[in-house]
Amino acid sequence: MPLIEIHNLYKVYNPGEENEVRALAGVSTQIERGEFVAVLGTSGSGKSTMMNILGCLDTPSHGTYRLGGTPVEQLSDNQLSKIRSLAIGFIFQGYNLIKDLTALENVELPLVYRNMGRAKRRRIATEALQRVGLGDRLQHLPSEMSGGQQQRVAIARAISTAPPILMADEPTGNLDSRSSREIMELLRALNRQGTTIILITHDRELAGYAARTIELRDGRIISDQPTVLAKEGAV
Amino acid sequence: MNIGQAFSMAIKSIRNNKARSILTMLGIIIGVAAVITLVTIIQGYQKEFIRQVSDMGTNVVQVSYYYDQRDVSRGITEKARSMPEYVQAMTPNQSNWYTVKLRDKSRDSRIIFGSEQYDICTNYNIEKGSMFTYNNVLNADRVCVIGQALKNELFNFENPIGKTVHIQGEKFRVVGVLEEKNMQWGDYYDNICIVPYTNNRLLMKNPSVSEYVIQAVDGEATKAIITEMENYFKQLLGRDWGYWIYSENQFMEFYNEQIALMSLIGGGIAGISLVVGGIGIMNIMLVSVTERTREIGIRKSIGARRFDIISQFLIESGTLSLCGGLLGILLGALLSLIFGRLIFKDLVLLPSLFIVVGAAGFSIVLGMFFGFYPANRASKLNPIDALRVE
């Protein structure tokens, strides 16, 4: 059974009106456990909409989406929250850390929503920050860290719950090339440890870190193939 | 949602917006302070009143008989003694002004014709010696108990016990001295001389004893005594006039109703400012939700349920309001002290524990009530839209 299975997925904004937008127009694909998939596309191609739906932040207009065999397209707000809490970690372009919380507190937050006890979540969050190389920045506020460090805090937050799926939406969009490389290496390392990673990007070069690239244009998949590097056995 | 976490977030957010938080709290502070001060002052009046009344004795029934010149003292006494479950003590309370003499000194005093229980019924304490006895009353012995003012006038520093004074030319032996009453009306209550009421024929031209005081065991008993005595007189006289039965408790009940009404009106008016304060909280929470739309989006994307978001904002508005409430309690206590000092002579006025706890609890509820709309709105935000906000 594939981990993610979408079939004929549509997302239509303002249906029936003059400014109707078909962000997704019949997308079908499958993603297996442990894959590292890049979803490539220009702005307006529908890649963000796809990530929102795959990340259970949004529901499709029609079509089916099975996550680990469970249909999720008709779930309630609370049920989607639960799936996000248990199955998915997000890494955003803008880091999306809460500015009043320290690195440690930010990383603890998903564990708080899992009703984990204070001591346990502190330990797990500390470990997650150590894994991304920020063991010495636990008590720093986001404003006291560089962009690369903030993104690593965001990654620590995403992996603190050990989710089977990581969703990364332009994770290096705000970073210099050195930090970008570090972040991508971190993602690749996580993938090697078994986490399924879905990378949303407009950057063909970044997509090269993934083993498989799905290219979107105008809400449709125009290509879906193993990455060149992967073909050469480099990944 | 972890309450401790939400609480520390709330404190953080209040501290990060100090000026705004204090301005928002101001409504609650003023409202709580107003309610507390008003209620405490009203309770002060009540305390002062009860204190004055209880100096006269509480749960007391006064009985007057004015139908004719008959001497009904025996009948009334027997009637009262027949219901010991209600009556703690009873005494005639007839008084007349006579001159009391000791050697060359004299003073016009109130001579009270009472029973051996006069001190109990009218709330006097014995300083020296004792009250005269039941046997003194039965035998119409010529003994007396004198008040402080009379004692000072006649005896100065001399020990009056066992000495003889002259009333209307008759000799009375002093057996006891009363403690000072120290009431507001000069020495009226201290310039007295109590004699067994059976001396009425000896001292008074008009011998009938028509005034009585009955000390009830408690407030409920006063009602029963009033009913019983009314029945007694109706039976005795065959009509329902010619006597008068009265208890302070009746007046106290009326007075308490008035006080309760005043509290309600005063508290209600002050309560309006609390509602205004609550609306202030709602307003600032709406601003806070708008400002933190992105934070809400982040929280939802990492697994927060609607309930988690609602409880976070409710705890925040409750905490904000509680802080205001606590400051309001302090201010209210201060104002109560100041006003209490100005209004009452020797009553230290402070809010009761009940009011303090009530005000604190009410602030939390108020904050949560007015915080619910913003919190609910926050929880309904779509995570994608919320994340898109810069």
Side-chain angles (χ1 to χ4, degrees):
Chain A
M1 182 175 51
L3 179 60
I4 287 174
E5 188 177 11
I6 54 178
H7 182 68
N8 206 19
L9 218 54
Y10 278 80
K11 182 69 184 182
V12 184
Y13 294 106
N14 310 318
E17 289 173 35
E18 225 173 278
N19 54 348
E20 179 179 293
V21 178
R22 289 185 156 200
L24 290 180
V27 174
S28 305
T29 192
Q30 296 183 348
I31 296 171
E32 300 290 337
R33 273 188 185 76
E35 275 198 86
F36 190 160
V37 181
V39 176
L40 185 66
T42 56
S43 106
S45 62
K47 62 181 194 302
S48 292
T49 306
M50 181 146 153
M51 128 129 179
N52 288 340
I53 292 173
L54 290 182
C56 294
L57 290 167
D58 203 355
T59 48
S61 303
H62 41 96
T64 56
Y65 172 18
R66 284 169 185 273
L67 179 62
T70 315
V72 295
E73 65 270 7
Q74 301 301 337
L75 293 183
S76 72
D77 197 58
N78 273 340
Q79 289 166 317
L80 291 177
S81 287
K82 194 165 182 197
I83 289 181
R84 290 197 295 270
S85 170
L86 295 177
I88 300 166
F90 286 98
I91 302 159
F92 300 98
Q93 177 174 6
Y95 326 131
N96 280 344
L97 300 175
I98 294 175
K99 63 178 181 1
D100 295 333
L101 298 182
T102 63
L104 187 63
E105 287 168 332
N106 264 294
V107 177
E108 274 185 53
L109 212 50
L111 304 170
V112 169
Y113 292 127
R114 282 187 170 193
N115 295 318
M116 190 180 283
R118 185 188 172 83
K120 192 175 174 196
R121 65 172 195 250
R122 187 132 293 190
R123 181 170 53 75
I124 291 177
T126 307
E127 279 169 13
L129 279 164
Q130 283 163 350
R131 274 175 75 188
V132 298
L134 289 176
D136 55 343
R137 292 283 192 277
L138 301 182
Q139 300 304 332
H140 285 55
L141 290 172
S143 56
E144 297 164 347
M145 289 184 279
S146 72
Q149 286 172 330
Q150 288 187 54
Q151 192 61 298
R152 279 191 277 162
V153 174
I155 292 174
R157 182 179 66 187
I159 62 174
S160 65
T161 57
I165 305 168
L166 266 188
M167 296 259 169
D169 183 7
E170 302 280 11
T172 61
N174 291 359
L175 300 177
D176 60 59
S177 56
R178 186 166 153 260
S179 303
S180 299
R181 220 166 24 249
E182 283 173 11
I183 296 295
M184 292 314 296
E185 289 301 337
L186 202 50
L187 289 180
R188 187 134 69 174
L190 287 166
N191 176 245
R192 281 203 201 96
Q193 288 159 20
T195 308
T196 308
I197 295 182
I198 299 172
L199 170 72
I200 313 287
T201 186
H202 68 282
D203 186 338
R204 204 166 284 278
E205 200 179 322
L206 274 189
Y209 280 89
R212 171 185 167 195
T213 303
I214 298 173
E215 191 168 357
L216 285 179
R217 186 179 297 161
D218 299 328
R220 286 175 216 277
I221 295 179
I222 56 166
S223 79
D224 182 352
Q225 56 195 344
T227 321
V228 182
L229 285 172
K231 260 190 283 189
E232 291 168 359
V235 176
Chain B
M1 175 76 178
N2 185 306
I3 289 178
Q5 213 265 347
F7 189 70
S8 78
M9 277 297 297
I11 297 285
K12 244 178 214 169
S13 134
I14 290 170
R15 274 185 14 206
N16 287 346
N17 300 298
K18 267 195 206 87
R20 190 167 92 181
S21 301
I22 288 174
L23 284 175
T24 307
M25 283 180 209
L26 212 52
I28 303 288
I29 295 175
I30 292 172
V32 168
V35 170
I36 284 190
T37 310
L38 256 163
V39 172
T40 306
I41 287 175
I42 290 169
Q43 284 184 344
Y45 273 111
Q46 198 168 13
K47 257 188 225 161
E48 182 73 7
F49 176 78
I50 289 173
R51 205 182 55 139
Q52 284 178 12
V53 170
S54 63
D55 272 348
M56 303 289 300
T58 45
N59 301 331
V60 162
V61 180
Q62 297 178 41
V63 178
S64 295
Y65 175 85
Y66 56 84
Y67 181 69
D68 54 19
Q69 299 296 315
R70 228 187 304 180
D71 186 354
V72 291
S73 58
R74 177 181 287 264
I76 292 176
T77 307
E78 274 171 11
K79 177 67 193 167
R81 286 187 201 280
S82 75
M83 36 183 182
E85 68 274 31
Y86 303 132
V87 176
Q88 187 195 341
M90 81 93 68
T91 180
N93 188 23
Q94 198 79 26
S95 63
N96 226 333
W97 289 87
Y98 297 117
T99 307
V100 181
K101 284 183 189 163
L102 175 77
R103 296 188 291 267
D104 56 338
K105 286 183 239 173
S106 70
R107 169 126 203 218
D108 284 344
S109 285
R110 215 151 47 91
I111 307 303
I112 294 167
F113 297 88
S115 78
E116 76 285 1
Q117 295 176 325
Y118 185 86
D119 58 330
I120 302 170
C121 298
T122 52
N123 215 20
Y124 277 98
N125 292 318
I126 305 288
E127 184 190 73
K128 207 178 254 180
S130 62
M131 272 305 286
F132 46 78
T133 63
Y134 182 56
N135 277 333
N136 291 144
V137 175
L138 281 184
N139 302 333
D141 289 335
R142 295 177 192 184
V143 289
C144 67
V145 176
I146 60 176
Q148 273 293 314
L150 184 59
K151 177 214 146 187
N152 290 340
E153 183 81 30
L154 297 184
F155 291 96
N156 214 351
F157 295 110
E158 213 179 319
N159 181 4
I161 305 294
K163 302 276 160 39
T164 304
V165 294
H166 287 84
I167 306 170
Q168 292 284 80
E170 300 292 339
K171 288 179 182 174
F172 280 81
R173 185 166 48 88
V174 178
V175 294
V177 179
L178 301 172
E179 271 179 18
E180 199 173 10
K181 267 274 203 185
N182 196 16
M183 297 283 284
Q184 289 165 342
W185 300 284
D187 60 6
Y188 181 84
Y189 287 98
D190 292 315
N191 180 21
I192 61 168
C193 176
I194 310 162
V195 299
Y197 69 93
T198 39
N199 283 306
N200 57 339
R201 285 164 204 282
L202 179 72
L203 292 179
M204 287 195 290
K205 288 183 199 104
N206 171 3
S208 74
V209 176
S210 55
E211 306 287 331
Y212 299 86
V213 177
I214 302 174
Q215 173 70 53
V217 292
D218 57 28
E220 278 307 301
T222 58
K223 289 179 191 164
I225 291 169
I226 289 171
T227 318
E228 286 289 326
M229 292 315 290
E230 272 173 355
N231 290 340
Y232 170 76
F233 282 116
K234 273 178 201 160
Q235 221 170 350
L236 184 73
L237 301 175
R239 45 177 67 82
D240 58 4
W241 58 273
Y243 57 89
W244 184 74
I245 301 168
Y246 170 77
S247 164
E248 287 287 1
N249 290 49
Q250 287 169 315
F251 179 62
M252 290 271 279
E253 253 170 51
F254 172 76
Y255 185 81
N256 280 336
E257 275 168 26
Q258 298 300 304
I259 285 278
L261 192 67
M262 260 170 69
S263 306
L264 207 65
I265 294 172
I269 291 171
I272 291 173
S273 58
L274 273 179
V275 172
V276 175
I279 293 171
I281 287 197
M282 177 148 70
N283 185 33
I284 217 66
M285 289 310 293
L286 278 174
V287 171
S288 179
V289 166
T290 309
E291 280 177 352
R292 286 152 69 187
T293 302
R294 194 176 177 82
E295 177 191 320
I296 295 161
I298 296 169
R299 285 174 183 272
K300 286 197 106 175
S301 74
I302 60 175
R305 290 158 299 163
R306 281 193 57 189
F307 174 76
D308 296 318
I309 303 291
I310 290 189
S311 37
Q312 183 195 336
F313 280 93
L314 280 189
I315 287 172
E316 190 164 324
S317 62
T319 306
L320 189 65
S321 183
L322 175 65
C323 289
L326 292 179
L327 291 175
I329 290 169
L330 284 182
L331 183 63
L334 193 69
L335 288 177
S336 300
L337 267 178
I338 293 172
F339 280 114
R341 192 86 200 175
L342 293 177
I343 299 172
F344 306 108
K345 247 196 316 188
D346 41 19
L347 189 62
V348 178
L349 209 55
L350 273 177
S352 67
L353 185 68
F354 174 75
I355 294 176
V356 168
V357 173
F362 185 75
S363 314
I364 298 177
V365 173
L366 187 86
M368 291 195 159
F369 179 79
F370 284 100
F372 186 78
Y373 171 66
N376 191 42
R377 220 163 98 151
S379 79
K380 278 184 180 161
L381 282 173
N382 183 340
I384 309 163
D385 298 337
L387 281 172
R388 217 171 272 151
V389 173
E390 278 308 319

